[in-house]
Amino acid sequence: MFFWFVCYLVVVWPISGSDERCPELPSVDNSIFVVEEMEGQILGTYTCMNGYHLVGEKNLFCSASEGWNAPTPKCHLGHCPAPVLLNGEFSSQLPVNVRDKATFQCHEGYILKGSNWSQCGEDQTWVPPLPICKKRDCGPPEKPAHGCFEGRDFNSGSTITYYCEKWYQLVGPQERQCIDGEWNSTLPACELIQEAPKSALQTASEEALLAFQESKEPCKAVKNFVERLNENGLTMEELKYFLEIKKAELKVKMLPRHCS
């Protein structure tokens, strides 16, 4: 068996050095009221009992000339705001009291993002936070600069393929898949393929490689190659840079298609 107690102290408070008195305050159910005198004023503090929360001012002041500074507050039974779940539904009694739980479920075609349950805490907030219902399908994806994608189906499970304009190469995943309302990877980029900055570099590099191919003997081929590099003042780093450019150009030529 449970018993409810109403705690309240009914007092008429005199102000020191004055014949005037603070008026009585009406009782507030399920609260405790503590008073003290401070610098010619009466300070009253309301504290609600466990399971209740205060609505109104917690601290009230009374002066001989002005009376109480605010209306009497109320102690309401602790509850959380009613949960809201767009495109879904929840199971919970209303109003939601402290420690009550709610469970959540999305409508067909939507997926729950967050926890499928939440509880009303002592501070009248939901823990964990309320979830949302998000469409299972993805919206149209972004296109990278100088790029495009192939595919018109953005439903969950569908895949799109990215391509770049001519003389641009794709950096990142070429395919992205829609999984439960989100694309499964980051947007790729299309980067410009740079040409060799100097024709002299191309000429010197080709001569060095040709010198290497002139001899079938490995040792002599390497010797010829090194000599030709030195003659043209070409370093291995410059040769490597040239080869990377040629590799990128070859890759572009081998791509199955470009953006139109």
Side-chain angles (χ1 to χ4, degrees), residues 165-206:
E165 297 173 357
K166 190 174 182 181
W167 302 114
Y168 287 83
Q169 61 180 343
L170 193 70
V171 178
Q174 185 169 26
E175 293 186 343
R176 299 173 79 192
Q177 186 177 25
C178 175
I179 300 177
D180 291 334
E182 296 181 357
W183 294 105
N184 69 330
S185 59
T186 57
L187 181 70
C190 291
E191 293 185 356
L192 179 66
I193 299 172
Q194 298 181 357
E195 298 180 358
K198 297 180 181 179
S199 58
L201 173 62
Q202 179 177 353
T203 301
S205 299
E206 290 176 350

Side-chain angles (χ1 to χ4, degrees), residues 225-237:
F225 172 72
V226 173
E227 288 177 352
R228 193 62 57 87
L229 283 179
N230 293 334
E231 289 174 2
N232 290 285
L234 191 67
T235 67
M236 290 297 295
E237 288 298 321

Side-chain angles (χ1 to χ4, degrees), residues 6-217:
V6 177
C7 297
Y8 185 77
L9 181 62
V10 180
V11 181
V12 178
W13 299 277
I15 302 294
S16 298
S18 173
D19 292 334
E20 302 207 25
R21 298 171 179 268
C22 287
E24 292 184 14
L25 289 171
S27 61
V28 176
D29 293 345
N30 304 297
S31 73
I32 297 174
F33 188 47
V34 179
V35 295
E36 60 179 318
E37 185 177 350
M38 297 178 59
E39 299 179 357
Q41 286 187 328
I42 297 296
L43 168 64
T45 302
Y46 281 94
T47 302
C48 293
M49 297 176 62
N50 189 31
Y52 291 80
H53 66 281
L54 193 74
V55 177
E57 293 291 334
K58 179 178 182 179
N59 298 314
L60 273 68
F61 296 91
C62 179
S63 63
S65 59
E66 299 180 2
W68 295 102
N69 68 316
T72 306
K74 301 291 184 182
C75 286
H76 288 183
L77 184 64
H79 65 275
C80 283
V84 177
L85 186 64
L86 296 177
N87 303 307
E89 55 190 26
F90 63 89
S91 61
S92 176
Q93 63 179 10
L94 296 176
V96 184
N97 298 323
V98 172
R99 291 183 291 278
D100 283 352
K101 287 186 178 181
T103 57
F104 306 94
Q105 184 177 357
C106 294
H107 296 156
E108 186 175 356
Y110 291 83
I111 185 171
L112 195 71
K113 293 293 183 179
S115 174
N116 65 349
W117 68 273
S118 188
Q119 186 174 32
C120 179
E122 295 287 347
D123 59 352
Q124 289 83 54
T125 61
W126 288 100
V127 181
L130 299 179
I132 62 172
C133 289
K134 189 173 182 180
K135 280 188 175 182
R136 287 186 177 274
D137 300 339
C138 296
E142 297 177 282
K143 291 192 299 183
H146 304 288
C148 59
F149 65 83
E150 186 178 70
R152 297 182 179 179
D153 183 4
F154 308 139
N155 297 327
S156 184
S158 62
T159 301
I160 58 172
T161 305
Y162 283 90
Y163 300 95
C164 292
E165 297 173 357
K166 190 174 182 181
W167 302 114
Y168 287 83
Q169 61 180 343
L170 193 70
V171 178
Q174 185 169 26
E175 293 186 343
R176 299 173 79 192
Q177 186 177 25
C178 175
I179 300 177
D180 291 334
E182 296 181 357
W183 294 105
N184 69 330
S185 59
T186 57
L187 181 70
C190 291
E191 293 185 356
L192 179 66
I193 299 172
Q194 298 181 357
E195 298 180 358
K198 297 180 181 179
S199 58
L201 173 62
Q202 179 177 353
T203 301
S205 299
E206 290 176 350
E207 288 181 359
L209 294 174
L210 182 61
F212 180 82
Q213 297 172 354
E214 286 176 349
S215 177
K216 295 182 179 180
E217 297 181 11

